[in-house]
Amino acid sequence: MKLMSCDILIVGSGLTGLVAAYSLSLLGFKIVLTDQKKILNNKIIITRDTRTTAITESSKIFLDHIGLWKKLSLFAEPIKNINVIDRSAKNKIEFFNNFKNHNLGYIVKNSNFILTLKNILLKKKNVIFIDSVKLNKINYKINSVEGCFNNLKIDADLIIAADGIKSTVRKILKTPLFQKCYKENALVINFTHTKNHNNCAFEFFYKNGPLAILPMQNINKNFQSSLIWSERPHFLNLLIKSKDEMIKKILDEKIGSTIGSINKIFSKQIFPLSSHINSRFYEKKLLYVGDAAHSVHPIAGQGWNLGLRDIKNLYYLSKDSKNIGLTIGTKQFCITYNENCYYDSFRLYQVTDKLNGIFKQNNFFINISRAIGFKIIQRNKRLKKFITNFAMGF
């Protein structure tokens, strides 16, 4: 049995775990980052994630503060406008940026994001990657906590659970959660198209779920976007098995002439949709971050940014604790983290769930009410500014 020790043990090396490892490494902590999957092969990083991540302006500012944005910006396509359309083009709200030198958000391919972070972390002497190991047990000692893997034990002051929606850590510790499973799946497609997107994102609301189009960087001088469509699982499972020409025809009908016709589909994936929130974001000497703590319906594109706010809170709490000589992972440290994060997450969990319910309603009175609401928002600059600031994370 191999024994190791560190300041912080991070379980899970997805985007949230990677950013947590990077930000906390800046504070001088010795970090061990583990994953069940094989992520390294002779120092060559393995990733097959073709999805995209929407990064808000607020998240970009924090990433810039910790020195990451300069490298990520090479792969980021800004969102300058967002058009929201309910059922038909008559019910439309156009959102514009209210701040100079800022954007509504940015779209980055996950593969580029992951590769950038891992390449940086591999060069850090205070960060160790360990892949192909499964967490089996957590033991508590007098002044530390121990993660037990196959033939490996890692002793730490603090464990950070960044192991996603199906968190192994949460199952081991039996942390209660509130969960909602939607009768929807999400189809994610990256494709090229005939019209310039002009850095505009679109969100269409249909009775079976929303469809979003997000601008991506051009590929080989061709305009490129990512589409996320929430629909009935049976319908999407049939659609993804169809030939690309059939998929193009159906999508062209759905999105109209907003970005022209679809030229080529590069990738397509389906994911089940659900939301959850833990009853608390901590256990003894352990914190939950990102999807291990909470997940929300993708209707507002805020899920990953909510996880980054966890990391931001953890970063500043750890920095303050270190500056005044306090040990991380104490009971008060964990409680303070929970207090700083929980309300924000619970609010977004409720807002996204209710929004999805409202837009899926399809009776005469609800449709009329939404149409009136859209007209009021479109004409009210103050209300539009409030919603825009929320979308930007301010």
Side-chain angles (χ1 to χ4, degrees):
M1 180 68 72
K2 185 179 178 181
L3 303 177
M4 294 181 66
S5 64
C6 61
D7 298 315
I8 301 171
L9 167 61
I10 300 177
V11 181
S13 68
L15 283 177
T16 303
L18 291 170
V19 179
Y22 173 83
S23 63
L24 294 170
S25 74
L26 300 177
L27 303 177
F29 293 112
K30 183 180 177 182
I31 296 164
V32 175
L33 188 63
T34 67
D35 203 293
Q36 292 187 45
K37 297 177 183 177
K38 180 77 175 171
I39 56 174
L40 298 174
N41 185 7
N42 297 323
K43 297 299 181 182
I44 299 172
I45 299 160
I46 302 167
T47 179
R48 298 180 179 87
D49 195 339
T50 61
R51 292 172 296 173
T52 58
T53 292
I55 300 174
T56 65
E57 183 66 25
S58 175
S59 295
K60 175 254 183 180
I61 291 170
F62 175 67
L63 292 171
D64 194 30
H65 175 73
I66 59 176
L68 266 182
W69 186 250
K70 187 175 181 180
K71 293 183 179 294
L72 288 176
S73 64
L74 300 173
F75 310 105
E77 186 70 7
I79 299 174
K80 296 181 179 179
N81 308 309
I82 299 174
N83 289 341
V84 179
I85 301 156
D86 181 31
R87 304 297 197 272
S88 74
K90 293 179 181 179
N91 299 328
K92 181 179 178 180
I93 306 174
E94 298 169 300
F95 292 102
F96 302 96
N97 179 26
N98 298 306
F99 300 94
K100 290 183 179 179
N101 304 318
H102 291 295
N103 292 297
L104 294 177
Y106 306 84
I107 301 300
V108 180
K109 282 182 70 175
N110 283 13
S111 56
N112 290 330
F113 204 156
I114 290 167
L115 289 171
T116 299
L117 280 164
K118 285 183 178 174
N119 281 324
I120 293 171
L121 289 171
L122 283 171
K123 296 175 184 177
K124 284 186 167 287
K125 294 181 180 179
N126 60 329
V127 178
I128 298 172
F129 272 104
I130 302 177
D131 64 3
S132 305
V133 290
K134 182 179 179 181
L135 182 69
N136 300 312
K137 190 178 180 182
I138 293 173
N139 293 326
Y140 289 103
K141 299 181 178 180
I142 296 173
N143 295 314
S144 63
V145 59
E146 183 180 66
C148 302
F149 302 81
N150 359 339
N151 301 316
L152 173 67
K153 289 184 178 180
I154 303 174
D155 195 72
D157 293 328
L158 175 69
I159 292 180
I160 296 174
D163 53 344
I165 292 175
K166 298 178 180 179
S167 172
T168 299
V169 173
R170 189 175 61 235
K171 290 174 184 176
I172 290 172
L173 296 179
K174 295 181 172 58
T175 304
L177 76 160
F178 306 98
Q179 188 173 25
K180 182 166 185 177
C181 293
Y182 298 103
K183 296 177 181 178
E184 308 166 37
N185 281 353
L187 172 66
V188 181
I189 292 180
N190 293 342
F191 61 95
T192 55
H193 45 87
T194 56
K195 279 188 182 179
N196 192 341
H197 51 56
N198 292 312
N199 300 104
C200 183
F202 297 86
E203 183 142 28
F204 300 86
F205 288 105
Y206 298 113
K207 66 178 182 179
N208 291 323
L211 184 156
I213 303 172
L214 306 173
M216 295 175 66
Q217 287 187 332
N218 292 350
I219 180 169
N220 298 326
K221 296 183 180 180
N222 292 309
F223 306 121
Q224 185 180 197
S225 292
S226 180
L227 179 145
I228 302 97
W229 186 11
S230 301
E231 250 283 3
R232 295 155 296 172
H234 179 68
F235 173 78
L236 291 183
N237 287 330
L238 288 175
L239 182 63
I240 202 168
K241 292 174 185 175
S242 305
K243 292 182 179 180
D244 283 358
E245 290 305 315
M246 175 61 72
I247 297 173
K248 288 181 195 177
K249 186 176 180 180
I250 291 172
L251 292 179
D252 280 339
E253 183 181 330
K254 282 287 180 184
I255 64 180
S257 60
T258 50
I259 52 171
S261 300
I262 295 173
N263 281 331
K264 185 177 181 180
I265 293 173
F266 286 97
S267 63
K268 47 191 177 185
Q269 294 175 287
I270 288 181
F271 302 92
L273 288 183
S274 64
S275 62
H276 83 279
I277 186 165
N278 294 6
S279 61
R280 56 184 176 273
F281 293 170
Y282 74 99
E283 295 289 353
K284 186 179 179 183
K285 297 184 181 300
L286 183 142
L287 301 176
Y288 293 100
V289 298
D291 285 350
H294 46 70
S295 61
V296 297
H297 193 283
I299 191 169
Q302 294 288 320
W304 185 81
N305 297 282
L306 187 61
L308 190 68
R309 295 205 285 271
D310 295 341
I311 297 169
K312 182 179 177 180
N313 283 320
L314 176 57
Y315 170 79
Y316 285 114
L317 178 60
S318 301
K319 185 177 182 180
D320 291 343
S321 297
K322 189 164 187 176
N323 286 342
I324 59 178
L326 296 178
T327 304
I328 60 169
T330 63
K331 183 177 180 180
Q332 188 55 53
F333 180 92
C334 294
I335 289 173
T336 301
Y337 167 80
N338 185 75
E339 290 173 346
N340 291 345
C341 297
Y342 198 88
Y343 172 74
D344 186 26
S345 301
F346 184 77
R347 179 183 62 166
L348 194 60
Y349 171 77
Q350 293 288 355
V351 166
T352 51
D353 179 63
K354 299 302 181 288
L355 273 176
N356 183 55
I358 290 169
F359 279 103
K360 286 180 70 175
Q361 299 257 353
N362 197 43
N363 64 63
F364 177 78
F365 294 106
I366 294 292
N367 290 345
I368 291 293
S369 298
R370 281 202 311 266
I372 293 171
F374 264 57
K375 288 178 182 178
I376 291 171
I377 294 171
Q378 175 68 357
R379 295 170 183 172
N380 191 315
K381 291 183 179 180
R382 183 175 293 182
L383 191 53
K384 276 174 84 170
K385 184 177 180 179
F386 174 81
I387 297 171
T388 302
N389 290 350
F390 176 80
M392 295 174 72
F394 295 136

